[in-house]
């Protein structure tokens, strides 16, 4: 063994190598989680975007929505928009998980503790930083995904020109991107920030707290086992997802239309009109499907990320 190899083994990989590995781990974790729970996300989006038709809502609930999609569009309809979603989720989860992990490590060093036992306020700061950084990747993906998911229910609202005239069965991700343009892909960014930053601020410190408490109660002190990470992440995901559902409803309404004259002027106008026409409970439409979507998504993603980190010995 050369002196250089011995020094590498002693010091471990460089910061740059670790960063790239963490980004790769986050991307794989995100793709795995999204692929598993995407049908639930489809149901959540349809429920949040539904509007009265003849005085009656199209769907009576999550199960009814799932059945109607399956009956009317087949299994393929449950996965409409999956490909552009995966294209966006790969950098999104890579950024979110890696940034949170890195910032937690830096803050833990300053606090003189381990990342697993980082004080809640520091954990919230790390989570908020991760949420802020990943919105740049999230927003375009969210718009394309949502418009493809609602295409079958509101074809006129999906793009303009060729994409709109083609009808829902021929709507494509590239057609939506071309019609929206760069500026259109970042429509609703403020609403996305108001959803993702508070979500990450709540989720990551709760996830670490729950995972460590489960570890301490079940196995004794130590770094949380993989199943503890899965359980803690899932429970934290329920709390965080429910808390930011109102922002998710507003964001979904803003991003579901790309008509030349959008139905809402801005986020405030959207929220005001929802409240006036549908009442305060409208802000919690799709809460159960959202929790059933987000909680296992982040549970699976964090578990996969933790497994990969352990394989690498980090």
């Amino acid at each position: 063994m050369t002196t250089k190899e011995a020094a590498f083994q002693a010091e471990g990989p460089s910061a740059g190598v670790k960063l790239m590995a963490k980004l790769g781990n986050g991307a794989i974790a995100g793709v795995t989680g999204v692929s598993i729970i995407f049908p639930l996300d489809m149901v959540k989006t349809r429920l949040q975007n539904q509007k009265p038709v003849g005085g009656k809502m199209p769907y009576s609930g999550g199960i009814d929505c799932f059945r109607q999609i399956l009956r009317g569009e087949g299994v393929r309809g449950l996965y409409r928009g999956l490909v552009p979603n995966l294209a966006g989720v790969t950098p999104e989860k890579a950024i979110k998980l890696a940034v949170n992990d890195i910032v937690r490590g830096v803050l833990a060093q300053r606090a003189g503790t381990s990342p697993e036992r980082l004080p809640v306020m520091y954990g919230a700061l790390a989570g908020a930083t991760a949420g802020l950084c990943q919105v740049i990747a999230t927003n375009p993906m969210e718009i394309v995904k949502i418009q493809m998911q609602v295409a079958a229910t509101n074809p006129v609202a999906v793009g303009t020109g060729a994409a709109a005239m083609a009808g829902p069965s021929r709507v494509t991700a590239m057609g939506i991107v071309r019609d929206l343009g760069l500026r259109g892909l970042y429509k609703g960014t403020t609403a996305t920030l108001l959803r993702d930053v508070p979500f990450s601020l709540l989720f990551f410190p709760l996830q670490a707290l729950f995972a460590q408490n489960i570890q301490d109660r079940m196995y004794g002190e130590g770094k949380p086992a993989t199943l503890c990470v899965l359980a803690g992440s899932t429970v934290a995901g329920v709390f965080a997802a429910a808390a930011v559902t109102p922002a998710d409803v507003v964001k979904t309404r803003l991003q579901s239309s790309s008509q030349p004259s959008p139905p809402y002027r801005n986020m405030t106008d959207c929220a005001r009109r929802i409240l006036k026409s549908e009442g305060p409970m409208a802000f919690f439409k799709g809460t159960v499907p959202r929790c059933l979507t987000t909680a296992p998504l982040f549970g699976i993603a964090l578990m996969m990320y933790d497994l990969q980190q352990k394989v690498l010995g980090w």
Side-chain angles (χ1 to χ4, degrees):
M1 182 183 293
T2 66
T3 305
K4 187 175 181 179
E5 289 173 337
F8 179 82
Q9 286 194 356
E11 296 176 6
S14 67
V17 171
K18 279 193 172 185
L19 173 60
M20 294 305 296
K22 288 178 186 292
L23 288 171
N25 292 347
I28 294 169
V31 168
T32 304
V34 169
S35 299
I36 292 172
I37 59 81
F38 196 79
L40 287 173
D41 187 67
M42 169 66 80
V43 172
K44 185 267 300 182
T45 300
R46 291 284 181 90
L47 286 173
Q48 289 183 338
N49 195 59
Q50 68 173 332
K51 300 175 182 67
V53 177
K56 185 180 179 181
M57 288 294 187
Y59 310 114
S60 61
I63 295 176
D64 178 56
C65 179
F66 182 87
R67 286 174 177 167
Q68 287 196 44
I69 295 172
L70 200 58
R71 184 170 58 248
E73 304 167 52
V75 175
R76 189 174 180 178
L78 292 170
Y79 290 90
R80 186 189 294 270
L82 175 61
V83 174
N85 195 33
L86 288 177
V89 156
T90 301
E92 181 234 323
K93 286 293 181 289
I95 294 168
K96 178 176 279 188
L97 297 180
V99 169
N100 176 72
D101 199 18
I102 291 168
V103 176
R104 285 185 71 88
V106 171
L107 293 175
Q109 281 187 338
R110 293 188 176 184
T113 185
S114 67
E116 293 77 28
R117 297 187 181 278
L118 191 68
V120 172
M121 289 302 295
Y122 285 153
L125 176 60
T129 303
L132 183 64
C133 290
Q134 58 90 36
V135 166
I136 192 170
T138 300
N139 213 78
M141 171 271 294
E142 284 280 317
I143 288 183
V144 175
K145 179 199 74 172
I146 287 170
Q147 293 200 18
M148 291 192 74
Q149 287 179 335
V150 302
T153 61
N154 190 15
V156 177
V158 184
T160 59
M165 291 186 292
S169 62
R170 295 178 61 188
V171 168
T172 64
M174 288 308 299
I176 294 172
V177 171
R178 282 195 300 267
D179 289 339
L180 288 173
L182 182 61
R183 184 175 180 180
L185 287 172
Y186 282 92
K187 181 172 64 175
T189 300
T190 302
T192 305
L193 283 169
L194 288 177
R195 182 197 66 173
D196 288 353
V197 174
F199 175 87
S200 296
L201 186 149
L202 291 170
F203 172 77
F204 284 109
L206 286 177
Q207 181 273 329
L209 182 65
F210 291 156
Q212 191 61 59
N213 282 342
I214 294 170
Q215 168 69 30
D216 292 346
R217 289 175 181 273
M218 294 185 65
Y219 304 109
E221 292 189 3
K223 193 171 183 178
T226 300
L227 289 179
C228 296
V229 172
L230 173 63
S233 302
T234 303
V235 175
V238 171
F239 283 100
V244 301
T245 295
D248 190 53
V249 170
V250 173
K251 181 195 72 67
T252 299
R253 294 288 181 89
L254 285 171
Q255 295 180 338
S256 63
S257 173
S258 61
Q259 298 175 17
S261 298
Y264 308 109
R265 293 193 302 272
N266 51 44
M267 186 182 68
T268 304
D269 177 58
C270 179
R272 187 181 294 125
R273 289 170 63 177
I274 292 172
L275 181 63
K276 183 179 179 180
S277 62
E278 303 173 52
M281 291 307 297
F283 289 107
F284 292 92
K285 280 183 178 178
T287 298
V288 173
R290 174 166 168 75
C291 290
L292 289 175
T293 299
T294 304
L297 167 59
F298 276 86
I300 294 168
L302 265 293
M303 179 186 70
M304 290 295 296
Y305 186 83
D306 181 71
L307 277 172
Q308 293 172 92
Q309 293 289 91
K310 286 176 179 175
V311 168
L312 293 172
W314 299 342

